[in-house]
Amino acid sequence: MTMESIRIDLPDKFSLEDGTNIGLWYQKYLDRRYDQPEQGSPERVSPGQVLTNQVDGINNQIPEAYHRFYTTWKDNLINCVKAVTVVGTTNGRMAVNLGAASVAEVNVAIHHTYGVPYIPGSALKGLASHFAATYLGEEWKKGSKAHTIVFGTTDAAGYCTFFDALYVPDSGDPKPFNKDVMTIHHQNYYTGTNDSNPPADWDNTIIVPFLSINGKFLFAIAGPNDEWKAAAMKILKTALIEEGVGGKTNSDYGKFTFQENEVLQQRSIDVESYAIRKIELLRERPQPNRYRGEVINVMDQRGYGFINQASGGPRVYINNTQMPDGRRLSPGQILEFSIVQTPRGPQAREVVILLEPES
């Protein structure tokens, strides 16, 4: 038999139907024979755009097998692994693993077996580790005891295990995958291939289609110590609320909300450290004409100090006489206050102590 005698008849187009593994289709199949104008549009569309439209156009039904898998996974996390678990909901959309290998120009994290979205545990651990080292003070800097225990080092693993966050199949959202686009306005300028010409309004824009995710996800952290598990979960939740996970977080992608009544384990552990509570208080928005900040540079003998405003701006002068209940200033106190302008600069009045530093 020669090669010339072998005949393979391929269909003109493969079709994506309900029940198809979306992950397999999106990450592996790109029909480059698609080069047709979209219906009602004279412009041709790229194979990547057709692929994204296909996934967005179906019902995105969750396989029945995944419902059973998710229930077993959740039960094992709670009852066997004794993990701290909580369900979070995306504020808008999320884009995880955009830069991973794919036949399309961009990718998305999809479970290889069930074709549903998920968030890799490595991404969650990296987010929490970065957030702790950046915002939670000296006790959580990389190399510190707390950071090493929870997150480990390059030479040793941490005590806490961050599991993949699985999509909650009964979240009430029948369509976790959504069509999205990135618009590149000045490609030559961004890539450095045309340094002689600065960005201009007449540059050709490039539309890059991709899939974004929305819905509820189950987060889980395990470890040998209840206190450290709870602290790690607290850090992760705060990071997901404030920073977000995945790509395009500057555009508010990947941010979550949590409700305390969604905690799944029977015994809820509430461990609050000064560093975590400090971040929460300083990021909350006070009432109009009220401000928040941290006390610094206290002059004990002279009875005054300064406040770093959480919202930015000049330091605010504060005297012990403005402290409530005869309390004295202490570095690290978190205060809420009003401001009066004086010839010497802004000064704090009507002070409320929100948090005292740990002794």
Side-chain angles (χ1 to χ4, degrees), residues 119-337:
I119 308 173
S122 56
L124 298 173
K125 182 177 181 179
L127 169 67
S129 172
H130 172 76
F131 186 87
T134 304
Y135 297 108
L136 301 187
E138 292 298 323
E139 65 177 296
W140 285 96
K141 293 292 185 184
K142 285 189 176 180
S144 67
K145 179 180 178 181
H147 195 279
T148 300
I149 289 174
V150 173
F151 303 107
T153 65
T154 55
D155 298 320
Y159 283 85
C160 293
T161 300
F162 290 72
F163 292 92
D164 293 344
L166 295 189
Y167 180 77
V168 179
D170 298 320
S171 62
D173 189 342
K175 192 175 180 181
F177 296 100
N178 297 276
K179 182 172 65 175
D180 218 323
V181 294
M182 289 182 283
T183 304
I184 302 174
H185 294 279
H186 313 288
Q187 184 183 31
N188 290 337
Y189 176 75
Y190 293 146
T191 58
T193 58
N194 194 9
D195 295 335
S196 61
N197 293 321
D201 290 341
W202 52 83
D203 288 345
N204 290 329
T205 58
I206 299 176
I207 306 299
V208 180
F210 69 100
L211 292 176
S212 60
I213 307 300
N214 66 288
K216 293 184 178 181
F217 289 81
L218 172 68
F219 299 91
I221 297 177
N225 182 285
D226 287 344
E227 182 178 349
W228 287 112
K229 285 189 294 186
M233 180 60 80
K234 188 68 174 180
I235 294 172
L236 177 60
K237 287 173 61 178
T238 307
L240 288 167
I241 292 169
E242 301 293 345
E243 298 290 321
V245 65
K248 297 175 65 66
T249 53
N250 288 338
S251 300
D252 283 340
Y253 278 62
K255 293 187 176 181
F256 279 77
T257 57
F258 295 89
Q259 295 181 3
E260 293 305 323
N261 61 3
E262 290 181 320
V263 176
L264 299 178
Q265 68 274 13
Q266 295 295 322
R267 186 165 61 93
S268 176
I269 306 168
D270 187 15
V271 177
E272 297 264 16
S273 73
Y274 162 80
I276 297 175
R277 186 62 181 147
K278 166 186 168 182
I279 292 293
E280 292 177 337
L281 290 171
L282 292 180
R283 288 178 179 266
E284 289 177 0
R285 181 174 297 179
Q287 295 296 318
N289 299 320
R290 298 285 291 175
Y291 306 86
R292 291 185 179 183
E294 179 180 359
V295 176
I296 61 171
N297 297 346
V298 175
M299 307 295 179
D300 289 326
Q301 294 182 347
R302 299 185 180 183
Y304 71 88
F306 294 90
I307 304 172
N308 263 348
Q309 296 188 64
S311 58
R315 297 186 307 172
V316 179
Y317 173 88
I318 180 171
N319 195 286
N320 271 329
T321 58
Q322 298 299 322
M323 295 290 284
D325 304 323
R327 307 278 287 278
R328 295 185 64 83
L329 288 166
S330 176
Q333 287 172 327
I334 307 302
L335 307 180
E336 184 173 301
F337 51 93

